[in-house]
Amino acid sequence: MSTKKHLRSQSKEIIAKVYRRMKYEAEKGVENLSDARWRTAQAVGYSEHTISNILKEERQAGATTSTDIEQKIFKSPSKRKRVSPKSTLDDFDMSVLRRTIMTFHIEFNEMPTLKKLKQILSEKIGFDGCIETLRKILRESGFEWSKTDDNRKALIEKHDIQITNVGSARKEYHHFRKSYRKE
């Protein structure tokens, strides 16, 4: 076969059973052919090498009888989950990111873009992720892109995060105002 296929556990079990049957027939003289591995490969449509690997996996699992094969000794290939270590920032780096975004317009007199933010963050905290990683970090930390009046996009905090941040500042202000009036 030209392309490599990953066999699932059920397919491996069937191939192992076919091999054992072919071997049994070869030993008992039912068939003139004595090479059970080759006959199994011909019957199931896989190479002898694949059949050998399946039988090796079966031997390593310790299953030699047909009753042991029913106990799921073969494992199906599983999908790998990609975890990007660059997409996790500690609290200090996150505060630098927030402060940079909040003061970007004042410091540089222009709107923040992902490319510019990445460049500044690589200088400040040594951020070495790509632009898509930065986009993911911003989305997860509560920022979103909002259209401005001149149809450009501006990076802002999500509304619910603004309310919680402003709410605490507003409470502090009212508490200060009350205590000032009492004096």
Side-chain angles (χ1 to χ4, degrees), residues 70-114:
E70 310 302 332
Q71 297 176 356
K72 292 278 185 183
I73 60 168
F74 295 108
K75 294 182 179 163
S76 295
S78 59
K79 291 186 178 181
R80 295 184 212 158
K81 293 182 179 178
R82 289 182 47 187
V83 176
S84 175
K86 296 177 183 176
S87 66
T88 55
L89 296 178
D90 59 3
D91 291 337
F92 176 76
D93 292 341
M94 282 305 295
S95 64
V96 170
L97 173 68
R98 284 188 184 284
R99 193 171 48 247
T100 303
I101 292 170
M102 297 301 177
T103 61
F104 196 91
H105 187 67
I106 296 167
E107 287 182 37
F108 303 103
N109 200 20
E110 56 186 73
M111 299 293 278
T113 63
L114 287 172

Short mmCIF file of all heavy atoms in Angstrom, two decimals, residues 70-114:
data_model
loop_
_atom_site.label_atom_id
_atom_site.label_comp_id
_atom_site.label_asym_id
_atom_site.label_seq_id
_atom_site.Cartn_x
_atom_site.Cartn_y
_atom_site.Cartn_z
N GLU A 70 -10.29 -11.12 23.20
CA GLU A 70 -11.53 -10.38 23.42
C GLU A 70 -11.36 -9.29 24.48
O GLU A 70 -12.24 -8.49 24.69
CB GLU A 70 -12.65 -11.34 23.87
CG GLU A 70 -12.82 -12.58 23.00
CD GLU A 70 -13.13 -12.28 21.55
OE1 GLU A 70 -13.70 -11.22 21.28
OE2 GLU A 70 -12.78 -13.10 20.69
N GLN A 71 -10.23 -9.28 25.19
CA GLN A 71 -10.05 -8.35 26.30
C GLN A 71 -9.38 -7.05 25.87
O GLN A 71 -8.70 -6.41 26.66
CB GLN A 71 -9.22 -9.01 27.40
CG GLN A 71 -9.92 -10.21 27.99
CD GLN A 71 -9.03 -10.91 29.01
OE1 GLN A 71 -7.89 -10.54 29.21
NE2 GLN A 71 -9.58 -11.91 29.66
N LYS A 72 -9.52 -6.63 24.65
CA LYS A 72 -9.02 -5.35 24.14
C LYS A 72 -7.52 -5.18 24.38
O LYS A 72 -7.09 -4.32 25.14
CB LYS A 72 -9.76 -4.17 24.78
CG LYS A 72 -11.20 -4.06 24.37
CD LYS A 72 -11.29 -3.38 23.06
CE LYS A 72 -12.73 -3.16 22.70
NZ LYS A 72 -12.91 -2.57 21.44
N ILE A 73 -6.72 -6.05 23.76
CA ILE A 73 -5.28 -5.90 23.91
C ILE A 73 -4.72 -4.92 22.90
O ILE A 73 -3.64 -4.39 23.08
CB ILE A 73 -4.56 -7.25 23.78
CG1 ILE A 73 -4.83 -7.87 22.41
CG2 ILE A 73 -4.96 -8.17 24.89
CD1 ILE A 73 -3.95 -9.04 22.10
N PHE A 74 -5.45 -4.68 21.83
CA PHE A 74 -5.00 -3.73 20.83
C PHE A 74 -5.51 -2.35 21.16
O PHE A 74 -6.61 -2.18 21.66
CB PHE A 74 -5.51 -4.14 19.44
CG PHE A 74 -4.95 -5.45 18.96
CD1 PHE A 74 -5.74 -6.57 18.90
CD2 PHE A 74 -3.62 -5.55 18.59
CE1 PHE A 74 -5.22 -7.78 18.46
CE2 PHE A 74 -3.09 -6.74 18.15
CZ PHE A 74 -3.90 -7.86 18.08
N LYS A 75 -4.70 -1.36 20.86
CA LYS A 75 -5.09 0.02 21.14
C LYS A 75 -5.23 0.78 19.84
O LYS A 75 -4.39 0.68 18.95
CB LYS A 75 -4.05 0.70 22.03
CG LYS A 75 -4.00 0.08 23.41
CD LYS A 75 -3.02 0.79 24.28
CE LYS A 75 -3.03 0.12 25.64
NZ LYS A 75 -1.88 0.45 26.42
N SER A 76 -6.31 1.56 19.73
CA SER A 76 -6.50 2.41 18.57
C SER A 76 -5.62 3.64 18.70
O SER A 76 -5.37 4.11 19.81
CB SER A 76 -7.96 2.85 18.46
OG SER A 76 -8.78 1.75 18.23
N PRO A 77 -5.15 4.19 17.59
CA PRO A 77 -4.37 5.42 17.68
C PRO A 77 -5.26 6.56 18.16
O PRO A 77 -6.42 6.65 17.81
CB PRO A 77 -3.89 5.66 16.25
CG PRO A 77 -4.80 4.87 15.40
CD PRO A 77 -5.31 3.73 16.22
N SER A 78 -4.70 7.41 19.01
CA SER A 78 -5.49 8.53 19.52
C SER A 78 -4.94 9.83 18.97
O SER A 78 -3.77 9.92 18.60
CB SER A 78 -5.43 8.55 21.05
OG SER A 78 -4.09 8.68 21.47
N LYS A 79 -5.81 10.83 18.93
CA LYS A 79 -5.39 12.13 18.44
C LYS A 79 -4.60 12.84 19.53
O LYS A 79 -4.93 12.78 20.70
CB LYS A 79 -6.61 12.98 18.07
CG LYS A 79 -7.32 12.47 16.85
CD LYS A 79 -8.42 13.42 16.46
CE LYS A 79 -9.12 12.94 15.20
NZ LYS A 79 -10.17 13.84 14.78
N ARG A 80 -3.57 13.52 19.11
CA ARG A 80 -2.76 14.28 20.05
C ARG A 80 -3.34 15.66 20.22
O ARG A 80 -3.77 16.29 19.26
CB ARG A 80 -1.33 14.41 19.55
CG ARG A 80 -0.61 13.10 19.47
CD ARG A 80 0.81 13.35 19.05
NE ARG A 80 1.27 12.23 18.27
CZ ARG A 80 2.27 12.28 17.41
NH1 ARG A 80 2.89 13.41 17.21
NH2 ARG A 80 2.61 11.23 16.75
N LYS A 81 -3.32 16.14 21.45
CA LYS A 81 -3.78 17.49 21.71
C LYS A 81 -2.57 18.41 21.72
O LYS A 81 -1.59 18.13 22.42
CB LYS A 81 -4.51 17.58 23.04
CG LYS A 81 -5.81 16.83 23.05
CD LYS A 81 -6.51 16.99 24.36
CE LYS A 81 -7.83 16.24 24.34
NZ LYS A 81 -8.53 16.34 25.61
N ARG A 82 -2.67 19.47 20.96
CA ARG A 82 -1.57 20.43 20.92
C ARG A 82 -1.71 21.42 22.05
O ARG A 82 -2.75 22.03 22.22
CB ARG A 82 -1.57 21.17 19.59
CG ARG A 82 -1.15 20.30 18.43
CD ARG A 82 -1.11 21.07 17.16
NE ARG A 82 -0.44 22.34 17.32
CZ ARG A 82 -0.37 23.28 16.40
NH1 ARG A 82 -0.96 23.09 15.26
NH2 ARG A 82 0.26 24.40 16.62
N VAL A 83 -0.66 21.57 22.79
CA VAL A 83 -0.64 22.55 23.87
C VAL A 83 0.49 23.51 23.56
O VAL A 83 1.64 23.10 23.39
CB VAL A 83 -0.41 21.87 25.24
CG1 VAL A 83 -0.31 22.90 26.33
CG2 VAL A 83 -1.51 20.88 25.52
N SER A 84 0.16 24.76 23.49
CA SER A 84 1.16 25.77 23.18
C SER A 84 1.64 26.41 24.47
O SER A 84 0.89 27.10 25.14
CB SER A 84 0.57 26.83 22.25
OG SER A 84 1.50 27.86 22.06
N PRO A 85 2.90 26.18 24.85
CA PRO A 85 3.40 26.80 26.07
C PRO A 85 3.53 28.31 25.93
O PRO A 85 3.59 29.02 26.92
CB PRO A 85 4.77 26.15 26.26
CG PRO A 85 5.19 25.70 24.91
CD PRO A 85 3.92 25.38 24.17
N LYS A 86 3.57 28.80 24.71
CA LYS A 86 3.71 30.24 24.49
C LYS A 86 2.41 30.98 24.75
O LYS A 86 2.41 32.19 24.93
CB LYS A 86 4.18 30.51 23.07
CG LYS A 86 5.56 29.95 22.79
CD LYS A 86 5.97 30.17 21.37
CE LYS A 86 7.32 29.54 21.11
NZ LYS A 86 7.72 29.63 19.73
N SER A 87 1.28 30.26 24.74
CA SER A 87 0.00 30.93 24.92
C SER A 87 -0.37 31.08 26.39
O SER A 87 -1.45 31.56 26.70
CB SER A 87 -1.11 30.17 24.20
OG SER A 87 -1.30 28.92 24.78
N THR A 88 0.50 30.67 27.28
CA THR A 88 0.23 30.86 28.70
C THR A 88 1.20 31.90 29.24
O THR A 88 2.41 31.74 29.15
CB THR A 88 0.40 29.54 29.48
OG1 THR A 88 1.71 29.02 29.21
CG2 THR A 88 -0.63 28.53 29.05
N LEU A 89 0.65 32.96 29.78
CA LEU A 89 1.45 34.02 30.38
C LEU A 89 1.17 34.06 31.87
O LEU A 89 0.04 33.84 32.30
CB LEU A 89 1.11 35.38 29.75
CG LEU A 89 1.41 35.56 28.26
CD1 LEU A 89 0.97 36.94 27.79
CD2 LEU A 89 2.89 35.38 27.98
N ASP A 90 2.19 34.37 32.65
CA ASP A 90 1.97 34.48 34.09
C ASP A 90 1.32 35.83 34.41
O ASP A 90 1.10 36.66 33.52
CB ASP A 90 3.28 34.28 34.86
CG ASP A 90 4.35 35.30 34.49
OD1 ASP A 90 4.07 36.19 33.67
OD2 ASP A 90 5.47 35.21 35.03
N ASP A 91 1.00 36.05 35.67
CA ASP A 91 0.27 37.25 36.08
C ASP A 91 1.05 38.53 35.77
O ASP A 91 0.48 39.53 35.35
CB ASP A 91 -0.06 37.19 37.57
CG ASP A 91 -1.08 36.13 37.88
OD1 ASP A 91 -1.83 35.75 36.95
OD2 ASP A 91 -1.14 35.68 39.04
N PHE A 92 2.36 38.50 35.98
CA PHE A 92 3.17 39.68 35.72
C PHE A 92 3.12 40.04 34.24
O PHE A 92 2.90 41.20 33.87
CB PHE A 92 4.62 39.46 36.16
CG PHE A 92 5.52 40.61 35.82
CD1 PHE A 92 5.48 41.78 36.56
CD2 PHE A 92 6.38 40.53 34.74
CE1 PHE A 92 6.30 42.85 36.24
CE2 PHE A 92 7.21 41.60 34.41
CZ PHE A 92 7.17 42.76 35.17
N ASP A 93 3.33 39.03 33.37
CA ASP A 93 3.30 39.28 31.92
C ASP A 93 1.92 39.74 31.46
O ASP A 93 1.80 40.59 30.57
CB ASP A 93 3.73 38.03 31.16
CG ASP A 93 5.19 37.70 31.37
OD1 ASP A 93 5.95 38.60 31.80
OD2 ASP A 93 5.58 36.54 31.11
N MET A 94 0.85 39.19 32.08
CA MET A 94 -0.50 39.63 31.72
C MET A 94 -0.73 41.08 32.12
O MET A 94 -1.37 41.84 31.39
CB MET A 94 -1.55 38.73 32.38
CG MET A 94 -1.74 37.40 31.70
SD MET A 94 -2.14 37.52 29.95
CE MET A 94 -3.72 38.32 30.01
N SER A 95 -0.20 41.50 33.27
CA SER A 95 -0.37 42.90 33.68
C SER A 95 0.42 43.82 32.75
O SER A 95 -0.04 44.92 32.42
CB SER A 95 0.04 43.10 35.14
OG SER A 95 1.42 42.84 35.29
N VAL A 96 1.60 43.38 32.30
CA VAL A 96 2.37 44.18 31.33
C VAL A 96 1.59 44.27 30.03
O VAL A 96 1.51 45.35 29.41
CB VAL A 96 3.77 43.56 31.09
CG1 VAL A 96 4.48 44.23 29.93
CG2 VAL A 96 4.62 43.66 32.34
N LEU A 97 0.97 43.17 29.60
CA LEU A 97 0.17 43.17 28.37
C LEU A 97 -1.00 44.14 28.50
O LEU A 97 -1.22 44.98 27.60
CB LEU A 97 -0.35 41.76 28.09
CG LEU A 97 -1.33 41.61 26.94
CD1 LEU A 97 -0.67 41.88 25.61
CD2 LEU A 97 -1.95 40.23 26.95
N ARG A 98 -1.75 44.09 29.58
CA ARG A 98 -2.89 45.00 29.79
C ARG A 98 -2.44 46.46 29.82
O ARG A 98 -3.04 47.31 29.19
CB ARG A 98 -3.61 44.67 31.09
CG ARG A 98 -4.46 43.45 31.02
CD ARG A 98 -5.28 43.30 32.30
NE ARG A 98 -6.05 42.10 32.28
CZ ARG A 98 -7.16 41.92 31.57
NH1 ARG A 98 -7.63 42.88 30.83
NH2 ARG A 98 -7.80 40.78 31.61
N ARG A 99 -1.37 46.72 30.57
CA ARG A 99 -0.88 48.10 30.67
C ARG A 99 -0.41 48.61 29.31
O ARG A 99 -0.65 49.77 28.95
CB ARG A 99 0.25 48.15 31.71
CG ARG A 99 0.64 49.53 32.12
CD ARG A 99 1.61 49.56 33.29
NE ARG A 99 2.74 48.65 33.13
CZ ARG A 99 2.95 47.57 33.87
NH1 ARG A 99 2.11 47.25 34.83
NH2 ARG A 99 3.99 46.79 33.66
N THR A 100 0.24 47.76 28.54
CA THR A 100 0.71 48.15 27.21
C THR A 100 -0.47 48.50 26.31
O THR A 100 -0.43 49.50 25.59
CB THR A 100 1.54 47.02 26.58
OG1 THR A 100 2.63 46.71 27.45
CG2 THR A 100 2.07 47.42 25.23
N ILE A 101 -1.52 47.69 26.37
CA ILE A 101 -2.69 47.95 25.53
C ILE A 101 -3.38 49.24 25.97
O ILE A 101 -3.77 50.06 25.13
CB ILE A 101 -3.66 46.75 25.56
CG1 ILE A 101 -3.02 45.56 24.86
CG2 ILE A 101 -4.98 47.10 24.90
CD1 ILE A 101 -3.76 44.27 25.03
N MET A 102 -3.53 49.42 27.27
CA MET A 102 -4.24 50.60 27.78
C MET A 102 -3.50 51.90 27.49
O MET A 102 -4.12 52.95 27.29
CB MET A 102 -4.47 50.47 29.29
CG MET A 102 -5.35 49.31 29.66
SD MET A 102 -6.97 49.46 28.89
CE MET A 102 -7.72 47.97 29.42
N THR A 103 -2.18 51.85 27.47
CA THR A 103 -1.41 53.08 27.27
C THR A 103 -0.81 53.18 25.87
O THR A 103 -0.01 54.07 25.60
CB THR A 103 -0.27 53.16 28.30
OG1 THR A 103 0.60 52.04 28.12
CG2 THR A 103 -0.82 53.20 29.71
N PHE A 104 -1.19 52.28 24.99
CA PHE A 104 -0.60 52.24 23.65
C PHE A 104 -0.84 53.54 22.89
O PHE A 104 0.08 54.11 22.30
CB PHE A 104 -1.16 51.06 22.84
CG PHE A 104 -0.36 50.73 21.63
CD1 PHE A 104 0.66 49.81 21.70
CD2 PHE A 104 -0.62 51.33 20.40
CE1 PHE A 104 1.42 49.49 20.59
CE2 PHE A 104 0.12 51.02 19.28
CZ PHE A 104 1.15 50.10 19.39
N HIS A 105 -2.07 54.02 22.93
CA HIS A 105 -2.41 55.23 22.19
C HIS A 105 -1.68 56.45 22.75
O HIS A 105 -1.25 57.33 22.00
CB HIS A 105 -3.92 55.46 22.21
CG HIS A 105 -4.36 56.59 21.34
ND1 HIS A 105 -4.27 56.54 19.97
CD2 HIS A 105 -4.87 57.81 21.64
CE1 HIS A 105 -4.72 57.68 19.47
NE2 HIS A 105 -5.09 58.47 20.46
N ILE A 106 -1.51 56.50 24.06
CA ILE A 106 -0.83 57.63 24.68
C ILE A 106 0.67 57.60 24.38
O ILE A 106 1.27 58.63 24.03
CB ILE A 106 -1.06 57.61 26.21
CG1 ILE A 106 -2.55 57.79 26.50
CG2 ILE A 106 -0.25 58.70 26.91
CD1 ILE A 106 -2.94 57.47 27.93
N GLU A 107 1.28 56.42 24.49
CA GLU A 107 2.73 56.30 24.27
C GLU A 107 3.12 56.48 22.80
O GLU A 107 4.09 57.16 22.49
CB GLU A 107 3.22 54.93 24.74
CG GLU A 107 3.28 54.76 26.23
CD GLU A 107 3.82 53.40 26.62
OE1 GLU A 107 4.74 52.90 25.92
OE2 GLU A 107 3.33 52.84 27.61
N PHE A 108 2.39 55.84 21.90
CA PHE A 108 2.81 55.79 20.51
C PHE A 108 1.95 56.64 19.58
O PHE A 108 2.23 56.71 18.38
CB PHE A 108 2.84 54.33 20.02
CG PHE A 108 3.73 53.46 20.85
CD1 PHE A 108 3.19 52.59 21.79
CD2 PHE A 108 5.10 53.54 20.72
CE1 PHE A 108 4.00 51.79 22.56
CE2 PHE A 108 5.92 52.74 21.49
CZ PHE A 108 5.37 51.87 22.42
N ASN A 109 0.88 57.20 20.09
CA ASN A 109 -0.01 58.07 19.33
C ASN A 109 -0.57 57.37 18.08
O ASN A 109 -0.68 57.96 17.02
CB ASN A 109 0.68 59.38 18.95
CG ASN A 109 -0.32 60.47 18.62
OD1 ASN A 109 -1.49 60.39 19.01
ND2 ASN A 109 0.12 61.48 17.90
N GLU A 110 -0.91 56.09 18.22
CA GLU A 110 -1.53 55.33 17.13
C GLU A 110 -2.31 54.16 17.72
O GLU A 110 -2.17 53.84 18.89
CB GLU A 110 -0.47 54.84 16.14
CG GLU A 110 0.62 54.01 16.76
CD GLU A 110 1.71 53.68 15.76
OE1 GLU A 110 2.49 54.57 15.40
OE2 GLU A 110 1.74 52.51 15.34
N MET A 111 -3.13 53.54 16.88
CA MET A 111 -3.96 52.42 17.31
C MET A 111 -3.10 51.15 17.40
O MET A 111 -2.23 50.93 16.56
CB MET A 111 -5.10 52.18 16.32
CG MET A 111 -6.04 53.35 16.17
SD MET A 111 -6.97 53.66 17.66
CE MET A 111 -8.25 52.47 17.45
N PRO A 112 -3.33 50.31 18.41
CA PRO A 112 -2.54 49.08 18.51
C PRO A 112 -2.96 48.06 17.46
O PRO A 112 -4.13 47.88 17.18
CB PRO A 112 -2.86 48.58 19.92
CG PRO A 112 -4.18 49.17 20.26
CD PRO A 112 -4.25 50.48 19.53
N THR A 113 -1.98 47.41 16.88
CA THR A 113 -2.22 46.29 15.97
C THR A 113 -1.50 45.08 16.57
O THR A 113 -0.63 45.22 17.43
CB THR A 113 -1.68 46.57 14.56
OG1 THR A 113 -0.26 46.74 14.64
CG2 THR A 113 -2.31 47.81 13.96
N LEU A 114 -1.86 43.92 16.11
CA LEU A 114 -1.23 42.71 16.63
C LEU A 114 0.27 42.70 16.35
O LEU A 114 1.08 42.31 17.19
CB LEU A 114 -1.89 41.47 16.04
CG LEU A 114 -3.28 41.14 16.56
CD1 LEU A 114 -3.89 40.00 15.77
CD2 LEU A 114 -3.24 40.80 18.03
#
